[in-house]
């Protein structure tokens, strides 16, 4: 019997996950580890069920920040890349600041942003955007520059207009790099949202999953902390999967196989 | 009556690159209607530079290039079309074969319906009418090159410039494409300038072979081949072909940078 590589690609990681969970469960039970040190997967499941509505509400808040940051990153990142690609002088003048923005740890500047931007939600979105925008800028920029020189000569030989060059050559050429950037950014937007929530420590009706984690820590409700963590992980996986699927859909012609 | 102006006329054309390297020493060359001229020579002899000057992709540092006796603005007017086939197929991976072939017509502003009607005949010329809906990633190297040739032919060019188009293909595919090219050019009376590294390819295709030398790039010799010879498998096997190859080998050895055992094994 032969198993398709695609089936293995799905089944193998699931099998590993199930084995790890079983081992984790067994270890907790065998050595009687108290839940406030290391909750068993079933404890986390029970906490997830018990605190479901509150956790899902927090998840919605975190995802709202994530999606807003991702949308702004895409729009701002693509626009910045188009601006930077216009001339070498613009790129040389501005690129160092783009890099400074990237290398400055968000945790260090988040308090400042939270002070400067009064409203909580926009402050969180600004923090998450600062983390997520860089891969979009750098990948789109590289993509816009990665035009096949022969194809560019062909367009020039046929006296193509700037608009034709942009729409029929530069944008499609940049698409694979842009999609790779989007995939990275989607994960970073979530990380950014959670980090910003941690720093802001925002409670109230717009409290996100990071606040849930902080609160659970203060209250020694470790299963609930793990439940919130599990939701962040699942959200990250779904985001990654969605952008990967989008990437496959958009680039299916590039990779079309006979 | 005056003789018609040659399709291409290079008058004391030279090329010095911005870094000071002299790509081409002043040279003269005239290519007449319906000729298939090959440029061969060692690396760095300026074959591709010469072709790009003719395609107006480079500007000469001195001298002048004339197209049908006029400047480059002659290109694009009725019956004055130029097509260029690159070393690589340079297809758009995001577009199917039909859209790739239609590209030059779109860029030249040919109405959509008219352009669509010209795709299939061009694909038929290269034997790819069944592949119109496929994407470049689904094609072999030889098929991609055929698409690139169809894209060059779809504009119905009067002058076809080819820069080592089959250099990356295996011998079998290359021979087959050479035979197709010879047939197409003969049938349509297409004026073709063909850069190649292969003297066998030059011998097979050309009505005239220009042997170039390097440092600086210049024309070393011209070798005329009777254009009346049918370019088919029988020609490749003939004594005449063997003699042409021998003569070209002798000419090439005169310009070889590795003469007298330099850099040899």
């Amino acid at each position: 019997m032969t198993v398709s590589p695609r089936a293995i690609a799905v089944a193998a990681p699931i099998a590993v996950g199930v084995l790890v969970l079983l081992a984790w469960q067994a270890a907790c039970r065998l050595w009687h580890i108290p839940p406030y040190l290391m909750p068993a997967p079933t404890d986390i499941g029970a906490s997830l069920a018990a605190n479901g509505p509150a956790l899902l509400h927090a998840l919605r808040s975190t995802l709202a920040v994530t999606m807003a940051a991702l949308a702004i990153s895409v729009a701002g990142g693509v626009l910045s890349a188009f601006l930077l690609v216009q001339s070498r002088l613009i790129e040389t003048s501005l690129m160092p600041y783009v890099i400074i923005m990237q290398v400055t740890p968000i945790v260090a500047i988040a308090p400042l942003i939270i002070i400067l931007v009064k409203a909580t939600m926009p402050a969180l979105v600004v923090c998450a955007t600062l983390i997520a925008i860089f891969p979009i800028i750098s990948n789109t920029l590289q993509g816009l520059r990665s035009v096949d020189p022969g194809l560019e000569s062909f367009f020039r030989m046929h006296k193509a207009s700037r608009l034709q060059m942009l729409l029929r050559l530069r944008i499609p050429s940049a698409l694979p790099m842009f999609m790779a950037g989007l995939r990275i950014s989607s994960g970073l937007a979530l990380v950014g949202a959670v980090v910003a929530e941690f720093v802001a420590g925002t409670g109230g009706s717009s409290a996100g999953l990071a606040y849930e984690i902080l609160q659970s820590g203060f209250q020694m409700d470790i299963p609930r902390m793990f439940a919130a963590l599990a939701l962040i992980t699942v959200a990250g996986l779904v985001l990654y999967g969605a952008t990967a699927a989008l990437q496959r859909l958009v680039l299916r012609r590039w990779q079309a196989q006979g | 009556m005056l003789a018609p102006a040659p399709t291409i006329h290079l008058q004391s054309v030279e090329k010095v690159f911005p870094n000071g390297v002299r790509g081409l020493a002043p040279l003269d060359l005239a290519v007449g209607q319906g000729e298939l001229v090959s440029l061969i020579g060692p690396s760095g002899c300026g074959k591709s530079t010469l072709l790009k000057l003719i395609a107006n992709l480079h500007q000469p540092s001195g001298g002048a290039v004339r197209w049908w006796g006029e400047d480059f603005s002659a290109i694009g007017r009725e019956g004055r079309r130029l097509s260029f086939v690159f070393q690589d197929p340079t297809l758009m991976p995001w577009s199917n074969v039909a859209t790739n072939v239609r590209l030059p017509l779109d860029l030249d502003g040919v109405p959509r319906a008219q352009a669509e009607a010209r795709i299939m005949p061009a694909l038929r010329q290269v034997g790819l009418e069944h592949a119109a809906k496929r994407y470049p990633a689904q094609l072999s190297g030889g098929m991609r090159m055929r698409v690139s040739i169809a894209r060059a032919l779809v504009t119905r060019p009067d002058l076809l410039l080819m820069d080592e188009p089959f250099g990356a293909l295996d011998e079998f595919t290359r021979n087959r494409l050479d035979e197709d090219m010879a047939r197409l050019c003969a049938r349509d009376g297409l004026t073709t300038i063909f850069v190649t590294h292969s003297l066998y390819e030059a011998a097979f295709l050309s009505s005239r072979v220009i042997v170039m030398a390097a440092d600086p790039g210049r024309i070393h010799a011209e070798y005329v081949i009777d254009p009346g010879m049918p370019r088919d498998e029988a020609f490749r096997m003939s004594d005449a072909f063997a003699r042409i190859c021998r003569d070209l080998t002798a000419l090439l050895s005169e310009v070889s940078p590795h003469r007298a055992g330099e850099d040899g094994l």
Side-chain angles (χ1 to χ4, degrees), chain B residues 47-63:
Chain B
K47 313 183 280 285
S48 289
T49 305
L50 186 56
L51 199 70
K52 284 178 179 148
L53 283 164
I54 298 171
N56 202 40
L57 284 172
H58 283 340
Q59 300 307 315
S61 316

Side-chain angles (χ1 to χ4, degrees), chain A residues 151 157-158 168 172 253-254 256, chain B residues 84 86 90 94 106 108 135 137:
Chain A
L151 209 45
M157 217 180 322
H158 284 272
R168 298 205 57 171
R253 293 164 169 182
W254 274 255
Chain B
F84 196 101
F86 294 86
T90 60
W94 55 86
D106 290 349
D108 293 348
Y135 285 88

Side-chain angles (χ1 to χ4, degrees), chain B residues 160-174:
Chain B
L160 184 59
L161 305 175
M162 304 182 90
D163 188 4
E164 275 184 66
F166 310 140
L169 303 177
D170 63 85
E171 198 74 12
F172 178 75
T173 312
R174 171 188 269 218

Side-chain angles (χ1 to χ4, degrees), chain B:
Chain B
M1 201 180 97
L2 281 171
T7 302
I8 289 296
H9 198 181
L10 285 85
Q11 298 157 320
S12 307
V13 163
E14 66 174 319
K15 180 71 187 173
V16 181
F17 289 105
N19 60 5
V21 172
R22 201 155 173 231
L24 284 175
L27 59 79
D28 293 281
L29 176 68
V31 178
Q33 165 66 37
E35 269 197 283
L36 201 160
V37 174
S38 288
L39 307 175
I40 62 171
S43 297
C45 71
K47 313 183 280 285
S48 289
T49 305
L50 186 56
L51 199 70
K52 284 178 179 148
L53 283 164
I54 298 171
N56 202 40
L57 284 172
H58 283 340
Q59 300 307 315
S61 316
V65 186
R66 309 293 285 172
W67 295 264
W68 291 277
E70 298 176 49
D71 61 17
F72 193 70
S73 63
I75 305 287
R77 279 190 234 138
E78 197 50 46
R80 297 284 159 86
R81 274 182 249 278
L82 174 156
S83 276
F84 196 101
V85 178
F86 294 86
Q87 259 167 2
D88 304 310
T90 60
L91 302 177
M92 302 178 289
W94 55 86
S95 295
N96 66 20
V97 166
T99 311
N100 266 292
V101 171
R102 208 185 59 217
L103 176 66
L105 302 177
D106 290 349
L107 294 179
D108 293 348
V110 176
R112 186 66 176 259
Q114 217 176 314
E116 287 287 340
R118 276 158 68 174
I119 295 171
M120 286 319 273
L123 283 175
R124 209 166 292 128
Q125 282 180 300
V126 297
L128 277 181
E129 61 269 40
H130 61 281
K133 294 276 168 257
R134 286 161 81 177
Y135 285 88
Q138 299 170 307
L139 305 176
S140 67
M143 288 167 92
R144 278 181 221 162
M145 214 58 234
R146 280 170 190 272
V147 176
S148 185
I149 293 168
R151 184 180 64 183
L153 295 176
V154 79
T155 59
R156 298 176 188 150
D158 305 274
L159 175 63
L160 184 59
L161 305 175
M162 304 182 90
D163 188 4
E164 275 184 66
F166 310 140
L169 303 177
D170 63 85
E171 198 74 12
F172 178 75
T173 312
R174 171 188 269 218
N175 285 351
R176 219 178 44 198
L177 287 175
D178 281 345
E179 284 162 31
D180 292 347
M181 275 316 299
R183 189 170 38 76
L184 280 172
C185 292
R187 197 192 64 191
D188 299 344
L190 201 55
T191 309
T192 307
I193 304 176
F194 195 99
V195 168
T196 176
H197 266 304
S198 160
L199 70 94
Y200 304 103
E201 189 166 51
F204 182 81
L205 281 172
S206 322
S207 54
R208 184 152 55 114
V209 180
I210 310 285
V211 181
M212 295 183 69
D215 297 321
R218 62 193 184 278
I219 292 175
H220 173 71
E222 292 196 19
Y223 187 90
V224 177
I225 302 170
D226 176 9
M229 289 183 186
R231 307 304 164 98
D232 52 17
E233 197 55 38
F235 174 62
R236 211 188 284 283
M237 298 296 173
S238 67
D239 290 342
F241 183 72
R243 181 177 47 76
I244 295 165
C245 291
R246 221 168 25 238
D247 291 349
L248 288 176
T249 307
L251 285 173
L252 268 177
S253 72
E254 291 171 13
V255 298
S256 166
H258 307 302
R259 296 183 74 188
E262 294 166 38
D263 297 345
L265 287 172

